Amino acid sequence: MSKNYNEKTITTDGQLMLKKAEKDQLETVWDRYEAQLPQCGYCEMGLSCRICNMGPCRVDPFGEGPQKGVCGADADIIVARNLGRMVASGAASHSDHGRDLVEVLEAVAEGKAPGYHINDEEKLKRVAGEYGIDIDGKDILKIAGELAHAMQEDYGTRKKSLTLLQRAPEARRKVWEKAGVTPRGIDRETSEMMHRTHMGVDNGWVSLLLQAVRNALSDGWGGSMIATDVSDILYGTPKPVQTLANLGVLKADHVNIVVHGHNPVVSEMILLACRDSDILAMAKSKGAAGINLAGLCCTGNELLMRHGVAMAGNHLMTELVIATGAVEMLFVDYQCIMPSLGNIAGCYHTKMISTSDKARFPNMEHHEFHPDNAADLAKILVRKAVENFENRGEVYIPVDPVPAVGGFSVEAIIGALGGTPEPLINAIKAGKIRGAVGVVGCNNPKIKHDYGHITLIKELIGNDILVVDTGCVAVATAKAGFKNSEAVQFAGPGLKEICGAIGVPPVLHMGSCVDNVRILVLASALADALGTDISALPLAGAAPEWYSEKAISIGVYAVASGIYTVLGPMPPITGSMNIVKLLTEGLNDVLGATFAVEPDPEKAALLIRKHIEKKRAGLGLDSRDIK
Amino acid sequence: MKKVVVHPERCVGCMQCMVACATAHSRSGELFSAICEIPLPKPRIHVGVGLYGEGFPNRCRHCDPAPCMLACLPGAIYRNADFDTVMIDPDKCINCASCAMACPFGVIRYHEDIFAPMKKVVAVKCDNCIGRQAKGLIPACVEVCKSNALTFETSAEALKRKTNEVARTVSAEAGITAAAPGFNLLNAIKKTQNQLKAN
């Protein structure tokens, strides 16, 4: 194991915990990454194909070895099929997460989900209205039931197009229609993507990629959007809320419970149980000062956004959190949960609980949460966590937490602006804010942990670009102090003035990774207010440390929605320069936006600033020359 | 005489040469049964990691004079003249590691092997697949390498090709065209990623 902790992460808590992990002889994600090197070049380039059993096949990038798979697919077809399947998996993950929430909504309507209730009736009615449900004089639970069923139809095949596409600017919907990528059903597009990539179906690399676009749109304007809306309806639409971030949120004198994963269905019930007075009394009787709930990754973001629950860390910190020895119980649901966690926990007293019927992990206790048992099961398990407090060994919590503000839903942002996007538009028109960038995505051991996020965002806000973030990025910036009352010091003069006037930090936490749809809705509101398309706005997206298939789907729906998007790590596409060219240039003609790939965040910032100034010029606003 | 020639710029790091080598030196010669054998067959070619995460297939150069052969006191290491190959006699090997100390390339490993007496740990390294060559087959690592990072040819052929490659770059109006622009692009990205880690 290497002693170069500062080559692995820029975070102080991360570096100190890596040292502890080495002392405790833990194998971490960085060790496993080193062990995998060199990674297979065919796979890195997208040139290996495992789709059928005439194969597996690979294409020699140097042109001398095999140039076609056994079926006859060339490099373009193989790369397109592989990329399409990555989008399908990513879209399926978000959309299935959304489906689970719709099922809870349905169970609430049927009175079969004790513990859950309709938290935001106003939003329920508003969304029901969008679905064309007659809400007049109807009981709130009846509306909830009808909305759940209407959303379930969006998952099916009875519709010609998804309901929530109407939130997009009209010009954007026309772009989709013209390109033939209007998504028809959430599950349908994923299913069709899998069908088309079966051997002997779609062998046009362009048409395969267009289906990937349609599939990603069925995530962004379908599954993910439903996930966010239903979460708001069930658990409350986020408002600005104070919180804390980094490993220091764990408390040595408290029972520490950590939730990790994505869906708030489980974590919301854990939160309720942690606030149960009987269980709190039990914790006190065991000698603990209280029960401290902390989050990891996106289910942590869900709780942070709505309740200010503190955030222990992002993706690459998940193993190291356990190594503090301070966690009594760690709950996981699904997505981005490293199967190594159970082994790490074996070195400490931490009890690991898996909760989803569709996600099992080695060395974890499995307790399935369903709408009908979740509230009770959460209490039973939190009691077990409290009992585990006395088994604690040595505890190492190396840092103090950093304060941050979260909770910027679109509703909260518009609220902070005084009920209309006008002040933000005026600030952009006046050039005080040059534009806005959504920085999203994961961590990846290929990039120094949080370096990509923090370096890029520092450059952007320092140059008067407003940043909104979600997911692992949102955790990185909270830890770096970009989200508290002192954060305006990092902002350029114009952004500093506007943030000061509204009373918000220069980096706005918009939620979990499904909540990237909040950015789409905000971008649509800006475009509508200006009477134009999203692609005409001075906006960009970035995923400086992305790793997951979900991030691919997000990137594709961002570009397909008209947002220029800069990726850090290269996706597995370099086996086909035709596809590289299409994604980085050609898409502009079809969708009005492209991808770029730039692992150096300082250079990525320049690309984004140039793009924003170009879009400003296009709108007739003042434009700067960026060198 | 044909030899295994390594072209490092073409190694994509897939490690198929390692798997094929271990299989070729197993009792069954078949991947799916080889993984169940005792002792477990091990590769004699090893893919290392370069500065920027790129692969390099490291194998015995069959040096002449061979430092390992000079260092071997029991005389277990000898040259098979028919195949111009440095060989190790597992019966004579005393597992002293002198050969590994002398080897400049780090290609000698110590483990049990199907060609050695039961339970005896011996020095093991590339044998140029002389068993396969005797049957008219080419070395297993070359057979599976689809990017031509490993070729089986005479030195004269390999050098002629290289000479011509170089000659073409100095031809009048020679545009430098990359053999695989996508691979160069991927490597540029990986290089940047690695350089940033040192920041």
Side-chain angles (χ1 to χ4, degrees), chain A residues 113-116 265-266 269-270 273 368-381:
Chain A
Y116 300 94
V265 166
V266 172
M269 290 301 115
I270 306 296
E368 255 168 51
F369 280 63
H370 296 285
D372 60 338
N373 75 351
D376 287 341
L377 184 55
K379 282 188 195 165
I380 292 168
L381 291 168

PDB file of all heavy atoms in Angstrom, chain A residues 113-116 265-266 269-270 273 368-381:
ATOM      1  N   ALA A 113     -49.406   1.846   3.972  1.00  0.00           N
ATOM      2  CA  ALA A 113     -48.009   2.225   4.225  1.00  0.00           C
ATOM      3  C   ALA A 113     -47.911   3.050   5.506  1.00  0.00           C
ATOM      4  O   ALA A 113     -47.693   4.260   5.467  1.00  0.00           O
ATOM      5  CB  ALA A 113     -47.453   3.003   3.035  1.00  0.00           C
ATOM      6  N   PRO A 114     -48.095   2.375   6.657  1.00  0.00           N
ATOM      7  CA  PRO A 114     -48.037   3.134   7.914  1.00  0.00           C
ATOM      8  C   PRO A 114     -46.660   3.785   8.074  1.00  0.00           C
ATOM      9  O   PRO A 114     -45.647   3.167   7.771  1.00  0.00           O
ATOM     10  CB  PRO A 114     -48.267   2.052   8.986  1.00  0.00           C
ATOM     11  CG  PRO A 114     -47.927   0.754   8.322  1.00  0.00           C
ATOM     12  CD  PRO A 114     -48.258   0.934   6.864  1.00  0.00           C
ATOM     13  N   GLY A 115     -46.646   5.027   8.521  1.00  0.00           N
ATOM     14  CA  GLY A 115     -45.361   5.719   8.656  1.00  0.00           C
ATOM     15  C   GLY A 115     -45.153   6.708   7.524  1.00  0.00           C
ATOM     16  O   GLY A 115     -44.542   7.741   7.698  1.00  0.00           O
ATOM     17  N   TYR A 116     -45.639   6.357   6.336  1.00  0.00           N
ATOM     18  CA  TYR A 116     -45.527   7.269   5.194  1.00  0.00           C
ATOM     19  C   TYR A 116     -46.805   8.082   5.086  1.00  0.00           C
ATOM     20  O   TYR A 116     -47.889   7.607   5.415  1.00  0.00           O
ATOM     21  CB  TYR A 116     -45.335   6.488   3.888  1.00  0.00           C
ATOM     22  CG  TYR A 116     -44.094   5.624   3.851  1.00  0.00           C
ATOM     23  CD1 TYR A 116     -44.149   4.281   4.219  1.00  0.00           C
ATOM     24  CD2 TYR A 116     -42.881   6.137   3.429  1.00  0.00           C
ATOM     25  CE1 TYR A 116     -43.009   3.480   4.170  1.00  0.00           C
ATOM     26  CE2 TYR A 116     -41.739   5.346   3.376  1.00  0.00           C
ATOM     27  CZ  TYR A 116     -41.819   4.013   3.747  1.00  0.00           C
ATOM     28  OH  TYR A 116     -40.698   3.221   3.696  1.00  0.00           O
ATOM     29  N   VAL A 265     -36.897   5.970   0.499  1.00  0.00           N
ATOM     30  CA  VAL A 265     -37.964   5.132   1.065  1.00  0.00           C
ATOM     31  C   VAL A 265     -37.530   4.510   2.393  1.00  0.00           C
ATOM     32  O   VAL A 265     -38.276   4.484   3.364  1.00  0.00           O
ATOM     33  CB  VAL A 265     -38.364   4.035   0.045  1.00  0.00           C
ATOM     34  CG1 VAL A 265     -39.191   2.958   0.713  1.00  0.00           C
ATOM     35  CG2 VAL A 265     -39.144   4.652  -1.101  1.00  0.00           C
ATOM     36  N   VAL A 266     -36.286   4.017   2.454  1.00  0.00           N
ATOM     37  CA  VAL A 266     -35.792   3.390   3.686  1.00  0.00           C
ATOM     38  C   VAL A 266     -35.250   4.441   4.645  1.00  0.00           C
ATOM     39  O   VAL A 266     -35.599   4.479   5.828  1.00  0.00           O
ATOM     40  CB  VAL A 266     -34.699   2.342   3.354  1.00  0.00           C
ATOM     41  CG1 VAL A 266     -34.033   1.833   4.632  1.00  0.00           C
ATOM     42  CG2 VAL A 266     -35.300   1.191   2.567  1.00  0.00           C
ATOM     43  N   MET A 269     -37.543   6.373   6.958  1.00  0.00           N
ATOM     44  CA  MET A 269     -38.074   5.615   8.104  1.00  0.00           C
ATOM     45  C   MET A 269     -36.998   5.450   9.190  1.00  0.00           C
ATOM     46  O   MET A 269     -37.305   5.443  10.384  1.00  0.00           O
ATOM     47  CB  MET A 269     -38.576   4.236   7.643  1.00  0.00           C
ATOM     48  CG  MET A 269     -39.824   4.305   6.799  1.00  0.00           C
ATOM     49  SD  MET A 269     -41.243   5.090   7.641  1.00  0.00           S
ATOM     50  CE  MET A 269     -41.449   6.552   6.635  1.00  0.00           C
ATOM     51  N   ILE A 270     -35.743   5.342   8.763  1.00  0.00           N
ATOM     52  CA  ILE A 270     -34.655   5.254   9.750  1.00  0.00           C
ATOM     53  C   ILE A 270     -34.589   6.578  10.526  1.00  0.00           C
ATOM     54  O   ILE A 270     -34.428   6.586  11.756  1.00  0.00           O
ATOM     55  CB  ILE A 270     -33.289   5.006   9.054  1.00  0.00           C
ATOM     56  CG1 ILE A 270     -33.342   3.785   8.140  1.00  0.00           C
ATOM     57  CG2 ILE A 270     -32.164   4.868  10.088  1.00  0.00           C
ATOM     58  CD1 ILE A 270     -33.598   2.477   8.808  1.00  0.00           C
ATOM     59  N   ALA A 273     -37.257   6.701  13.120  1.00  0.00           N
ATOM     60  CA  ALA A 273     -36.937   5.815  14.242  1.00  0.00           C
ATOM     61  C   ALA A 273     -35.856   6.436  15.132  1.00  0.00           C
ATOM     62  O   ALA A 273     -35.889   6.291  16.360  1.00  0.00           O
ATOM     63  CB  ALA A 273     -36.482   4.452  13.724  1.00  0.00           C
ATOM     64  N   GLU A 368     -35.562  -6.955   4.784  1.00  0.00           N
ATOM     65  CA  GLU A 368     -36.259  -6.288   3.675  1.00  0.00           C
ATOM     66  C   GLU A 368     -37.288  -5.276   4.143  1.00  0.00           C
ATOM     67  O   GLU A 368     -38.182  -5.596   4.924  1.00  0.00           O
ATOM     68  CB  GLU A 368     -36.946  -7.331   2.807  1.00  0.00           C
ATOM     69  CG  GLU A 368     -36.210  -7.549   1.511  1.00  0.00           C
ATOM     70  CD  GLU A 368     -36.701  -8.764   0.768  1.00  0.00           C
ATOM     71  OE1 GLU A 368     -37.919  -8.890   0.576  1.00  0.00           O
ATOM     72  OE2 GLU A 368     -35.850  -9.594   0.378  1.00  0.00           O
ATOM     73  N   PHE A 369     -37.153  -4.072   3.627  1.00  0.00           N
ATOM     74  CA  PHE A 369     -38.125  -3.016   3.905  1.00  0.00           C
ATOM     75  C   PHE A 369     -39.173  -2.983   2.796  1.00  0.00           C
ATOM     76  O   PHE A 369     -38.839  -2.962   1.617  1.00  0.00           O
ATOM     77  CB  PHE A 369     -37.424  -1.645   3.969  1.00  0.00           C
ATOM     78  CG  PHE A 369     -36.741  -1.358   5.281  1.00  0.00           C
ATOM     79  CD1 PHE A 369     -35.684  -2.132   5.713  1.00  0.00           C
ATOM     80  CD2 PHE A 369     -37.164  -0.291   6.080  1.00  0.00           C
ATOM     81  CE1 PHE A 369     -35.042  -1.873   6.917  1.00  0.00           C
ATOM     82  CE2 PHE A 369     -36.533  -0.018   7.296  1.00  0.00           C
ATOM     83  CZ  PHE A 369     -35.471  -0.808   7.712  1.00  0.00           C
ATOM     84  N   HIS A 370     -40.447  -2.962   3.202  1.00  0.00           N
ATOM     85  CA  HIS A 370     -41.549  -2.767   2.268  1.00  0.00           C
ATOM     86  C   HIS A 370     -42.448  -1.696   2.873  1.00  0.00           C
ATOM     87  O   HIS A 370     -42.392  -1.457   4.083  1.00  0.00           O
ATOM     88  CB  HIS A 370     -42.315  -4.077   2.053  1.00  0.00           C
ATOM     89  CG  HIS A 370     -41.464  -5.146   1.408  1.00  0.00           C
ATOM     90  ND1 HIS A 370     -41.142  -5.126   0.076  1.00  0.00           N
ATOM     91  CD2 HIS A 370     -40.824  -6.232   1.936  1.00  0.00           C
ATOM     92  CE1 HIS A 370     -40.359  -6.166  -0.207  1.00  0.00           C
ATOM     93  NE2 HIS A 370     -40.148  -6.849   0.909  1.00  0.00           N
ATOM     94  N   PRO A 371     -43.294  -1.050   2.049  1.00  0.00           N
ATOM     95  CA  PRO A 371     -44.112   0.041   2.603  1.00  0.00           C
ATOM     96  C   PRO A 371     -44.899  -0.365   3.848  1.00  0.00           C
ATOM     97  O   PRO A 371     -45.074   0.434   4.769  1.00  0.00           O
ATOM     98  CB  PRO A 371     -45.046   0.396   1.441  1.00  0.00           C
ATOM     99  CG  PRO A 371     -44.300   0.014   0.208  1.00  0.00           C
ATOM    100  CD  PRO A 371     -43.467  -1.174   0.589  1.00  0.00           C
ATOM    101  N   ASP A 372     -45.349  -1.619   3.914  1.00  0.00           N
ATOM    102  CA  ASP A 372     -46.208  -2.003   5.043  1.00  0.00           C
ATOM    103  C   ASP A 372     -45.414  -2.271   6.321  1.00  0.00           C
ATOM    104  O   ASP A 372     -45.956  -2.172   7.415  1.00  0.00           O
ATOM    105  CB  ASP A 372     -47.058  -3.237   4.665  1.00  0.00           C
ATOM    106  CG  ASP A 372     -46.199  -4.436   4.293  1.00  0.00           C
ATOM    107  OD1 ASP A 372     -45.025  -4.225   3.915  1.00  0.00           O
ATOM    108  OD2 ASP A 372     -46.685  -5.584   4.388  1.00  0.00           O
ATOM    109  N   ASN A 373     -44.123  -2.610   6.222  1.00  0.00           N
ATOM    110  CA  ASN A 373     -43.390  -2.955   7.455  1.00  0.00           C
ATOM    111  C   ASN A 373     -42.278  -1.960   7.794  1.00  0.00           C
ATOM    112  O   ASN A 373     -41.625  -2.086   8.825  1.00  0.00           O
ATOM    113  CB  ASN A 373     -42.790  -4.369   7.329  1.00  0.00           C
ATOM    114  CG  ASN A 373     -41.560  -4.416   6.403  1.00  0.00           C
ATOM    115  OD1 ASN A 373     -41.246  -3.439   5.711  1.00  0.00           O
ATOM    116  ND2 ASN A 373     -40.875  -5.530   6.390  1.00  0.00           N
ATOM    117  N   ALA A 374     -42.043  -0.968   6.914  1.00  0.00           N
ATOM    118  CA  ALA A 374     -40.824  -0.156   7.033  1.00  0.00           C
ATOM    119  C   ALA A 374     -40.731   0.590   8.362  1.00  0.00           C
ATOM    120  O   ALA A 374     -39.669   0.594   9.005  1.00  0.00           O
ATOM    121  CB  ALA A 374     -40.760   0.832   5.872  1.00  0.00           C
ATOM    122  N   ALA A 375     -41.833   1.212   8.789  1.00  0.00           N
ATOM    123  CA  ALA A 375     -41.782   2.031  10.005  1.00  0.00           C
ATOM    124  C   ALA A 375     -41.419   1.160  11.214  1.00  0.00           C
ATOM    125  O   ALA A 375     -40.567   1.529  12.032  1.00  0.00           O
ATOM    126  CB  ALA A 375     -43.113   2.729  10.215  1.00  0.00           C
ATOM    127  N   ASP A 376     -42.044  -0.002  11.317  1.00  0.00           N
ATOM    128  CA  ASP A 376     -41.781  -0.892  12.458  1.00  0.00           C
ATOM    129  C   ASP A 376     -40.382  -1.497  12.380  1.00  0.00           C
ATOM    130  O   ASP A 376     -39.655  -1.550  13.377  1.00  0.00           O
ATOM    131  CB  ASP A 376     -42.815  -2.027  12.501  1.00  0.00           C
ATOM    132  CG  ASP A 376     -44.169  -1.513  12.966  1.00  0.00           C
ATOM    133  OD1 ASP A 376     -44.195  -0.413  13.572  1.00  0.00           O
ATOM    134  OD2 ASP A 376     -45.180  -2.186  12.701  1.00  0.00           O
ATOM    135  N   LEU A 377     -40.020  -1.953  11.181  1.00  0.00           N
ATOM    136  CA  LEU A 377     -38.710  -2.587  11.017  1.00  0.00           C
ATOM    137  C   LEU A 377     -37.588  -1.594  11.333  1.00  0.00           C
ATOM    138  O   LEU A 377     -36.580  -1.949  11.956  1.00  0.00           O
ATOM    139  CB  LEU A 377     -38.577  -3.123   9.580  1.00  0.00           C
ATOM    140  CG  LEU A 377     -37.308  -3.912   9.255  1.00  0.00           C
ATOM    141  CD1 LEU A 377     -37.115  -5.089  10.217  1.00  0.00           C
ATOM    142  CD2 LEU A 377     -37.352  -4.429   7.813  1.00  0.00           C
ATOM    143  N   ALA A 378     -37.774  -0.335  10.926  1.00  0.00           N
ATOM    144  CA  ALA A 378     -36.760   0.690  11.206  1.00  0.00           C
ATOM    145  C   ALA A 378     -36.547   0.804  12.709  1.00  0.00           C
ATOM    146  O   ALA A 378     -35.404   0.869  13.185  1.00  0.00           O
ATOM    147  CB  ALA A 378     -37.191   2.027  10.620  1.00  0.00           C
ATOM    148  N   LYS A 379     -37.637   0.800  13.473  1.00  0.00           N
ATOM    149  CA  LYS A 379     -37.500   0.914  14.932  1.00  0.00           C
ATOM    150  C   LYS A 379     -36.771  -0.297  15.515  1.00  0.00           C
ATOM    151  O   LYS A 379     -35.899  -0.159  16.375  1.00  0.00           O
ATOM    152  CB  LYS A 379     -38.889   1.032  15.569  1.00  0.00           C
ATOM    153  CG  LYS A 379     -39.488   2.425  15.428  1.00  0.00           C
ATOM    154  CD  LYS A 379     -40.756   2.529  16.236  1.00  0.00           C
ATOM    155  CE  LYS A 379     -41.532   3.759  15.807  1.00  0.00           C
ATOM    156  NZ  LYS A 379     -42.910   3.740  16.280  1.00  0.00           N
ATOM    157  N   ILE A 380     -37.152  -1.477  15.041  1.00  0.00           N
ATOM    158  CA  ILE A 380     -36.505  -2.695  15.560  1.00  0.00           C
ATOM    159  C   ILE A 380     -34.990  -2.630  15.322  1.00  0.00           C
ATOM    160  O   ILE A 380     -34.178  -2.909  16.205  1.00  0.00           O
ATOM    161  CB  ILE A 380     -37.103  -3.946  14.871  1.00  0.00           C
ATOM    162  CG1 ILE A 380     -38.562  -4.129  15.299  1.00  0.00           C
ATOM    163  CG2 ILE A 380     -36.279  -5.201  15.183  1.00  0.00           C
ATOM    164  CD1 ILE A 380     -39.330  -5.146  14.466  1.00  0.00           C
ATOM    165  N   LEU A 381     -34.613  -2.213  14.110  1.00  0.00           N
ATOM    166  CA  LEU A 381     -33.192  -2.216  13.758  1.00  0.00           C
ATOM    167  C   LEU A 381     -32.436  -1.093  14.462  1.00  0.00           C
ATOM    168  O   LEU A 381     -31.287  -1.280  14.883  1.00  0.00           O
ATOM    169  CB  LEU A 381     -33.028  -2.127  12.237  1.00  0.00           C
ATOM    170  CG  LEU A 381     -33.491  -3.397  11.500  1.00  0.00           C
ATOM    171  CD1 LEU A 381     -33.579  -3.160  10.000  1.00  0.00           C
ATOM    172  CD2 LEU A 381     -32.557  -4.568  11.789  1.00  0.00           C
TER     173      LEU A 381
END
